[in-house]
Amino acid sequence: MTELLQKVRVIDPVSEIDELFDVLIADGYIREVASHISDISSDTQIRDCQGLVLGPGLVDLYSHSGEPGFEERETLSSFLQAAAAGGFTRVSILPDTSPVIDSPALVAQLQQKRAEGQRGRKAEKSLSPLLPCSPAPLLHIWGAITVDVAGKQMTELADLVSAGVVGFSDGKPLENLALVRRVLEYLQPLGKPVAFWPSDRQLTANGVMREGTDALRFGLPPIPASAETTAIAAMLELVATIGTPVHIMRVSTARSVELIASAKAAGLPITASTTWMHLLLDTKAVKSYHTSLHLDPPLGSPSDVAALRAGVRAGAIDAIAIDHTPYSYEEKVQAFAEAPAGAIGLELALPLLWQYLVETEEFTALELWRALSTNPAECLGQKVSAIVPHQPAELTLFDPQQTWKVERKSLYTLSQNTPWLGQQLKGHVVQTWC
């Protein structure tokens, strides 16, 4: 199919462009980008895109797939469809499935599953013209650092690299610093990203909410900010000693942003990410006791949120991750402190971030798109192409004004664990080209 997108707002962080253009797409490639395109074939599908935004496909650094092991939460197929519906053309799943992705065989199994799903999706395309993306987003797989993500014994790192993992992460705190040091030494020659979630679980204890007056007011066990910052400080010391590049996941406190900014200024080879919900909500939101607000790390104070937003804009925090964490209804219908931590987000992140950060003019459109596309790709050691002729069409078309209701029939993901369930949102992805 050849498509002409007329008068679309092109947001391209690679070329630093935010302008209106006509964009011609044919056979999976961008053929022409110009202020006006009139020389087109008779079979070209013309779309009036006034008011719509076209940007590079979004890239998610890390999220959780229910499959294998927890298909009642999320299948790989529903995960990829939710990602496409949210504007993501590349997604990366953490290894804490069941069984854990700690061997080449498990990596091959997931790659085969994705390939089979893609073949089935192509077959059903003619019957389901509203599928948001064809083919499905590119699936990346994080290999486990330790066997069974238990934090005790290293996996066969080189074998996992040969199997095609995008990088290494347990997705859980790894507190044995001697083991962390050894991992950094072993990974240095392999040239793959490694992502750690610094968190001192002894300081976290049984806490479920950021320490402060709101935790006292709501009667919930607190987690001090130092549970994160002390672990980050230790990680930075190891990076300074060994020199292996490291990605720091799930940054959630103002002090953490300061530590990371100072380390970058000193030349340490680190990148960092926060999650989309930590940019939007603070501890006051927990007043509802909605279990989808039970996150780990917990939502921060208003000053934490302000620091995280400033950190993303300034570059101390490189990327915004989704950390999509599906759970069944039964798992989440518990007391706040007893419910498992996490929430879905693949289909919600772009609309809500745009509404509360771009439309309020706190972020420019380029700043938000960069943190959701080019920067996450760079953290994975990848590149995103500019929106220019002869480049593959890996794109997201977004309507900032389209309204929709968050409910089961409007979501591709199987799980519904989000505090926005039942609410009306503004902003919706129209199409993705993968």
Side-chain angles (χ1 to χ4, degrees):
M1 180 184 295
T2 301
E3 299 174 88
L4 176 60
L5 310 182
Q6 291 185 321
K7 302 305 176 189
V8 67
R9 180 183 176 186
V10 174
I11 297 175
D12 183 1
V14 179
S15 302
E16 294 290 330
I17 288 173
D18 183 353
E19 298 180 35
L20 291 180
F21 286 107
D22 285 1
V23 180
L24 185 66
I25 301 171
D27 302 322
Y29 282 83
I30 301 167
R31 297 302 181 187
E32 189 175 354
V33 179
S35 57
H36 179 68
I37 299 174
S38 57
D39 185 14
I40 57 175
S41 60
S42 59
D43 61 347
T44 299
Q45 178 180 327
I46 300 174
R47 178 183 291 180
D48 182 359
C49 291
Q50 292 189 65
L52 303 187
V53 170
L54 183 72
L58 306 185
V59 179
D60 184 28
L61 266 176
Y62 45 86
S63 279
H64 301 262
S65 170
E67 187 176 4
F70 304 101
E71 286 82 359
E72 70 279 5
R73 298 175 181 170
E74 187 84 274
T75 65
L76 195 59
S77 175
S78 69
F79 173 84
L80 291 172
Q81 289 190 59
F88 291 88
T89 57
R90 306 182 201 179
V91 286
S92 308
I93 59 171
L94 291 166
D96 57 344
T97 50
S98 182
V100 167
I101 307 171
D102 58 4
S103 69
L106 262 296
V107 178
Q109 178 183 321
L110 279 171
Q111 290 170 335
Q112 179 65 24
K113 184 80 175 178
R114 191 266 184 191
E116 291 172 355
Q118 184 57 47
R119 286 195 292 271
R121 201 163 179 209
K122 286 179 180 177
E124 72 178 352
K125 185 185 176 188
S126 60
L127 299 176
S128 304
L130 297 181
L131 283 175
C133 174
S134 182
L138 184 61
L139 177 68
H140 297 300
I141 300 167
W142 287 99
I145 295 172
T146 64
V147 174
D148 205 30
V149 294
K152 296 179 179 179
Q153 178 186 348
M154 265 196 304
T155 56
E156 296 294 335
L157 303 175
D159 289 348
L160 286 167
V161 169
S162 299
V165 297
V166 73
F168 293 94
S169 178
D170 274 5
K172 297 181 178 181
L174 190 56
E175 295 189 80
N176 183 337
L177 292 180
L179 178 59
V180 171
R181 180 188 173 100
R182 195 157 70 250
V183 167
L184 293 179
E185 291 170 341
Y186 271 84
L187 282 176
Q188 201 163 46
L190 297 180
K192 285 289 183 179
V194 59
F196 291 100
W197 174 21
S199 178
D200 188 315
R201 300 322 259 181
Q202 288 185 318
L203 286 172
T204 299
N206 66 338
V208 296
M209 183 178 174
R210 175 71 69 233
E211 185 178 68
T213 56
D214 285 331
L216 290 171
R217 187 178 298 116
F218 305 150
L220 293 171
I223 299 175
S226 57
E228 177 173 292
T229 56
T230 55
I232 287 179
M235 177 64 66
L236 295 176
E237 286 297 316
L238 288 177
V239 174
T241 301
I242 299 168
T244 304
V246 159
H247 181 80
I248 298 175
M249 308 166 63
R250 301 182 178 129
V251 177
S252 70
T253 75
R255 177 59 181 152
S256 299
V257 176
E258 292 179 4
L259 290 170
I260 292 166
S262 296
K264 285 188 170 187
L268 266 63
I270 58 170
T271 56
S273 59
T274 188
T275 81
W276 71 286
M277 287 184 67
H278 286 86
L279 289 173
L280 293 179
L281 301 174
D282 60 39
T283 52
K284 290 179 172 50
V286 182
K287 182 180 180 180
S288 68
Y289 293 96
H290 197 298
T291 54
S292 292
L293 295 172
H294 178 190
L295 306 177
D296 196 5
L299 293 172
S301 66
S303 60
D304 289 327
V305 174
L308 289 170
R309 291 181 179 184
V312 172
R313 294 193 66 197
I317 304 299
D318 299 85
I320 301 171
I322 307 306
D323 208 6
H324 176 86
T325 309
Y327 283 106
S328 66
Y329 174 81
E330 292 75 17
E331 288 174 299
K332 276 292 191 178
V333 181
Q334 301 187 54
F336 187 92
E338 301 301 320
I344 62 171
L346 288 169
E347 296 168 78
L348 306 174
L350 178 57
L352 284 161
L353 289 168
W354 186 280
Q355 182 177 345
Y356 289 102
L357 298 182
V358 177
E359 290 202 350
T360 59
E361 299 185 351
E362 185 170 350
F363 276 50
T364 67
L366 274 171
E367 286 171 338
L368 177 62
W369 218 277
R370 183 182 297 112
L372 287 169
S373 62
T374 54
N375 282 7
E378 288 176 4
C379 292
L380 293 170
Q382 302 170 0
K383 295 291 183 183
V384 169
S385 299
I387 303 178
V388 295
H390 313 302
Q391 291 296 329
E394 186 180 351
L395 304 165
T396 295
L397 186 64
F398 175 64
D399 184 348
Q401 302 305 317
Q402 182 180 340
T403 59
W404 60 292
K405 190 174 183 180
V406 183
E407 52 189 351
R408 180 173 293 276
K409 64 182 180 181
S410 66
L411 293 171
Y412 281 86
T413 181
L414 296 181
S415 296
Q416 311 292 307
N417 54 305
T418 172
W420 284 278
L421 190 65
Q423 295 188 28
Q424 200 84 12
L425 298 189
K426 187 169 75 168
H428 201 273
V429 171
V430 176
Q431 185 176 346
T432 49
W433 292 262
C434 295

